[in-house]
Amino acid sequence: MRFCLITVIAFCLSPALQAGDPPVPHEATHKQIRMIAPQHNGASVELKTFCLDDNGNILACVSGKSPQGQDGKVQGLLQVYSPEGKLIRETELEFEATAINQAPDRTIFVAGSGKVARISEGGEVLVSTDSPHIGDMDEMREQAKKDAEAQLEQLTGIYKQQIERLTESLAKLDEKEELSDRDKQRRAAFEQQKKLYEQSEKAMEQNYSSMFSVESMLKRTLNITSIAVTSKDVFLCCGSGRGYDVWRTTHEFSEPKKVFSGLGG
């Protein structure tokens, strides 16, 4: 598991240069003043995302293994650290959060793995529910299967085309009653090329089958990369097939509406 640190950086202003001033050596505008390593029950945890609240505290979404648990797994936690790195409190989440933000009224919104939650400033989970982009799971799984097949088809398509072309060339040669020496040489070359393309196609499928499996594509669809909150709306950037969609909801996660679709990057 990869663990992360929160690096606290101070911003330092340098005096502005005036016309005619002699050049001065480059000075860094930031400097590291401390490092904060998130932990849970004395064990390191993985930092998923974080932001600052309006008091300068660090709101960190983490996940990791708990030494006390039988299964050794913490599904997700929202931890609040002071600017000095002291753990103030933590809230258990029903999911692994990958996006976090604070609303103007100081409530905290977290999202990830197809779930969203609204948490009070004191750490109480007020609402926890499915993300608005989650529909029927059977339909989503079927779509993930189609997306996975399409990705693999795109990657192996060039090999399939070459194999088909060589197969046609071999069939034309086989239609002849008698092959000349040149035809035999061509046929042997076509057979060799076809074999190489078939091996390349098989290797490509093996290398990328796990990356574009149904489960990996479904996980990508459930993914929520970022969240923004205004005084009345919540905006979520959610996975959608090969791209991303942006959804808008109320603070209660009602009245969902897709406002952008097919975003890349």
Side-chain angles (χ1 to χ4, degrees):
M1 177 176 288
R2 174 172 54 85
F3 302 108
C4 303
L5 299 173
I6 301 174
T7 302
V8 182
I9 296 175
F11 180 70
C12 309
L13 291 176
S14 299
L17 292 178
Q18 302 295 325
D21 287 348
V24 296
H26 172 76
E27 294 183 9
T29 58
H30 299 72
K31 66 178 180 179
Q32 179 178 307
I33 57 176
R34 73 180 58 87
M35 295 180 67
I36 301 170
Q39 291 188 338
H40 174 67
N41 292 336
S44 297
V45 288
E46 184 178 1
L47 175 65
K48 292 296 184 178
T49 186
F50 72 95
C51 71
L52 300 181
D53 67 12
D54 56 5
N55 292 319
N57 296 319
I58 299 169
L59 308 178
C61 294
V62 302
S63 66
K65 294 182 178 180
S66 171
Q68 283 77 19
Q70 291 296 323
D71 58 1
K73 180 65 178 178
V74 174
Q75 184 70 16
L77 291 169
L78 166 61
Q79 296 184 324
V80 181
Y81 290 89
S82 70
E84 292 72 35
K86 180 181 178 181
L87 179 62
I88 299 174
R89 64 178 177 274
E90 60 183 14
T91 301
E92 275 199 46
L93 303 173
E94 297 177 351
F95 56 91
E96 191 175 82
T98 54
I100 184 170
N101 218 318
Q102 186 184 44
D105 64 1
R106 293 187 173 181
T107 54
I108 302 165
F109 288 78
V110 294
S113 306
K115 298 285 186 178
V116 289
R118 182 165 65 93
I119 301 169
S120 71
E121 185 181 11
E124 178 187 359
V125 178
L126 304 174
V127 182
S128 182
T129 186
D130 289 340
S131 170
H133 78 295
I134 301 301
D136 182 88
M137 285 302 297
D138 290 336
E139 292 181 3
M140 290 185 67
R141 185 172 292 277
E142 183 62 30
Q143 184 60 49
K145 181 181 178 181
K146 293 179 180 178
D147 291 338
E149 292 172 348
Q151 287 282 12
L152 282 175
E153 181 66 28
Q154 182 178 349
L155 288 169
T156 59
I158 186 172
Y159 299 114
K160 294 182 185 298
Q161 292 174 8
Q162 295 298 331
I163 292 170
E164 291 175 1
R165 181 182 64 81
L166 290 166
T167 300
E168 293 174 359
S169 298
L170 287 167
K172 289 180 180 179
L173 287 173
D174 290 340
E175 290 174 357
K176 294 185 176 183
E177 294 183 1
E178 186 176 351
L179 297 180
S180 64
D181 290 342
R182 185 173 181 275
D183 288 337
K184 291 178 182 178
Q185 292 175 353
R186 291 177 63 205
R187 195 182 193 289
F190 290 159
E191 285 282 8
Q192 181 63 22
Q193 291 175 12
K194 181 181 177 182
K195 183 179 180 180
L196 290 174
Y197 280 122
E198 287 173 342
Q199 291 173 345
S200 297
E201 179 191 9
K202 185 177 180 180
M204 182 71 76
E205 288 179 346
Q206 290 176 342
N207 291 336
Y208 287 95
S209 58
S210 59
M211 182 182 297
F212 296 115
S213 66
V214 174
E215 291 304 320
S216 64
M217 296 298 289
L218 185 61
K219 183 178 180 180
R220 187 186 186 286
T221 302
L222 294 174
N223 187 31
I224 300 174
T225 61
S226 60
I227 184 170
V229 190
T230 69
S231 59
K232 63 177 183 178
D233 294 317
V234 179
F235 294 87
L236 298 159
C237 185
C238 310
S240 175
R242 302 185 190 183
Y244 298 90
D245 297 337
V246 176
W247 287 76
R248 181 181 65 203
T249 76
T250 67
H251 281 198
E252 299 296 329
F253 305 117
S254 61
E255 303 176 27
K257 181 179 181 181
K258 187 191 298 184
V259 292
F260 289 106
S261 61
L263 299 178

